[in-house]
């Protein structure tokens, strides 16, 4: 899953990016409201974490802009202000939830998971295909009940493929949901991760677990 953080305080943004990447999210960061609104409009995110007090464009302005463009991505607003009228204004502008600074990361994560369950239905806690099982909350992948040791990015890639079982996922779709903006779109990073994932899954022979659809992308049946 891909998250956008719009936060001008460098320490907070860096902490959130590092902590969420450890939770298997791909994370982009915008340092001001103008940049945040732009990224929210050109990329497909699963969730946006939006600070309210931002340079160039305040959080409420970012909210109004993206909602006017019919972007329905869940938005969690962060603010040092906890007054009820301010919360009401932000919720009316399109915010899905509101968290007052300072906050515990565990609460932020819990609120994120609650928001991520709303639009598309509750994600299964364990994703399976054949003898492969991916336990989302525990971050564990097993084959025939034997645990496999995947890198963070391999786990994210496998989860995205399993979430879309039976659907052909193009390179651009995989980049959009598994990697952040820093990846070189013309590199062979997807191919190398698919190759590494296949090796760890023991995915050999003619009937591949991860299938390559020539000229279109990859899928798991």
């Amino acid at each position: 899953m891909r998250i956008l953080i719009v936060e001008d305080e460098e320490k907070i943004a860096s902490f959130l990016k590092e902590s969420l990447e450890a939770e298997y999210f791909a994370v982009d960061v915008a340092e001001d409201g103008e940049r945040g609104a732009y990224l929210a409009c050109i990329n497909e995110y699963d969730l946006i974490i939006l600070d309210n007090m931002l340079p160039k464009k305040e959080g409420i302005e970012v909210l109004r802009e993206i909602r006017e463009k019919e972007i329905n991505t869940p938005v969690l607003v962060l603010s040092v202000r906890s007054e009820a009228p301010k919360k009401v204004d932000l919720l009316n502008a399109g915010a899905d939830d509101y968290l007052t600074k300072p906050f515990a990361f565990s609460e932020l994560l819990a609120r994120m998971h609650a928001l991520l369950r709303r639009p598309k239905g509750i994600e299964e806690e364990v994703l399976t295909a054949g003898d492969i099982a991916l336990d989302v909350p525990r971050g564990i992948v097993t084959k025939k009940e034997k645990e496999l040791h995947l890198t963070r990015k391999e786990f994210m890639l496998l989860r995205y493929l399993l979430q879309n079982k039976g659907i052909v996922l193009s390179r651009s779709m995989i980049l959009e949901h598994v990697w952040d903006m820093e990846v070189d779109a013309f590199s062979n990073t997807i191919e190398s991760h698919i190759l590494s994932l296949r090796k760890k899954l023991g995915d050999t022979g003619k009937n591949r677990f991860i299938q390559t659809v020539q000229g279109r992308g990859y899928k798991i049946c």
Side-chain angles (χ1 to χ4, degrees), residues 51-53 77-91 97-103 107 111:
D51 186 32
N52 185 40
M53 302 297 291
V77 173
L78 306 178
S79 179
V80 294
R81 302 181 65 179
S82 59
E83 301 95 325
K86 176 58 67 176
K87 290 182 180 180
V88 170
D89 288 343
L90 287 161
L91 292 169
D97 199 358
Y98 186 107
L99 189 59
T100 304
K101 294 179 178 178
F103 53 84
E107 181 180 0
R111 287 174 180 262

Side-chain angles (χ1 to χ4, degrees), residues 5 7-22 27 29-30 105:
I5 298 171
E7 171 62 69
D8 63 317
E9 293 186 49
E10 187 176 346
K11 288 184 178 179
I12 294 177
S14 179
F15 166 74
L16 289 176
K17 179 176 173 64
E18 183 177 334
S19 299
L20 290 174
E21 285 177 340
V27 182
V29 177
F105 178 71

